[in-house]
């Protein structure tokens, strides 16, 4: 399902780490896929920081009163492995907050930041595969960026559709990979293929 070809990275390719927050460990969420996601995200952050490439840390600040992702709650915090990596790279770093699915609709403005730095390639990882990762990748593709999604550095949860039928997290991740690939929004790869 995931492309295994080696993808050429630009020197200023930006890694966008989306919503890797403590709330996702809350038992309120249904079963998830890809237990390797966090390990792959950590490997990618390390690789980007060691290379001096830019890293964007995105945090979802939910405005909903009952959300474990709302500001002021522990669930809003980045997971420890992400928080301990913030500020450790030699390249540019940005903290971005949002209240919707796309990292392109947040503060500060992601598109302005990328364009000011001459960045045309983005690598999108994080949580959830079929929500914020896919939405950000789609918008990035529409805005003309070269978008790469290492699918094994994302995860999602089972979800019910309008007919009540539940799709597993793995099925939803497969659908995201198909959507991004077939419509040309992004190159879908593995972490290993991306790092070559």
């Amino acid at each position: 399902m995931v492309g295994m070809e080696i993808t050429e990275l630009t020197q200023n390719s930006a890694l966008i780490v989306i919503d890797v927050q403590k709330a996702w460990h809350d038992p309120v969420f249904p079963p998830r896929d890809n237990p390797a996601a966090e390990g792959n995200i950590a490997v990618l952050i390390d690789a980007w920081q060691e290379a001096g490439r830019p890293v964007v840390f995105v945090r979802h600040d939910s405005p909903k009163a009952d959300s474990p992702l709302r500001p002021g709650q522990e669930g809003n915090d980045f997971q420890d492995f992400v928080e301990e990596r913030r500020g450790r790279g030699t390249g540019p770093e940005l903290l971005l907050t949002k209240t919707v699915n796309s990292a392109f609709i947040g503060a500060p403005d992601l598109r302005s930041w990328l364009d000011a730095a001459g960045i045309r390639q983005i690598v999108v990882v994080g949580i959830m595969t079929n929500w914020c990762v896919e939405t950000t990748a789609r918008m990035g593709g529409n805005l003309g960026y070269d978008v790469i999604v290492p699918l094994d550095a994302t995860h999602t949860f089972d979800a019910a559709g309008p007919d009540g039928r539940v799709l597993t997290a793995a099925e939803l991740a497969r659908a995201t990979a198909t959507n991004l690939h077939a419509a040309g929004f992004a190159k879908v790869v593995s972490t290993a293929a991306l790092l070559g």
Side-chain angles (χ1 to χ4, degrees):
M1 177 181 63
V2 175
M4 296 305 293
E5 71 280 357
I6 296 173
T7 299
E8 188 171 337
L9 294 171
T10 61
Q11 179 52 41
N12 69 345
S13 176
L15 180 67
I16 302 180
V17 182
I18 298 182
D19 302 350
V20 185
Q21 294 164 257
K22 292 182 178 179
W24 302 120
H25 295 308
D26 194 305
V28 68
F29 293 102
R32 62 169 276 187
D33 69 335
N34 192 18
E38 289 84 354
N40 288 326
I41 293 167
V43 165
L44 288 166
I45 295 171
D46 290 344
W48 252 251
Q49 290 182 327
E50 287 167 14
R53 289 189 171 108
V55 180
V56 179
F57 293 99
V58 180
R59 188 183 72 220
H60 190 84
D61 288 350
S62 177
K64 297 178 181 176
D66 61 347
S67 173
L69 288 162
R70 71 189 183 280
Q73 303 299 309
E74 184 180 5
N76 181 257
D77 296 342
F78 287 119
Q79 293 180 27
D80 291 343
F81 80 94
V82 171
E83 186 59 41
E84 69 188 21
R85 285 170 167 80
R86 290 184 58 221
R88 287 179 46 188
T90 58
E93 183 177 304
L94 178 69
L95 171 63
L96 184 153
T97 61
K98 63 181 181 61
T99 59
V100 295
N101 301 109
S102 176
F104 283 98
I105 304 175
D109 184 72
L110 179 59
R111 184 180 187 185
S112 295
W113 188 82
L114 294 171
D115 290 353
I119 297 168
R120 300 308 307 158
Q121 185 182 72
I122 60 173
V123 176
V124 186
V125 302
I127 307 167
M128 295 190 304
T129 311
N130 55 315
W131 286 11
C132 298
V133 171
E134 182 172 348
T135 303
T136 299
R138 283 174 177 249
M139 279 196 71
N142 282 169
L143 291 170
Y145 295 97
D146 175 20
V147 183
I148 302 168
V149 177
L151 198 69
D152 60 357
T154 75
H155 82 74
T156 191
F157 301 90
D158 293 3
D163 60 358
R165 181 178 171 221
V166 173
L167 294 181
T168 67
E171 290 172 325
L172 291 167
R174 189 175 307 114
T176 288
T178 302
N179 290 337
L180 295 177
H181 170 79
F185 290 113
K187 297 181 190 82
V188 181
V189 301
S190 68
T191 296
L194 184 62
L195 296 178

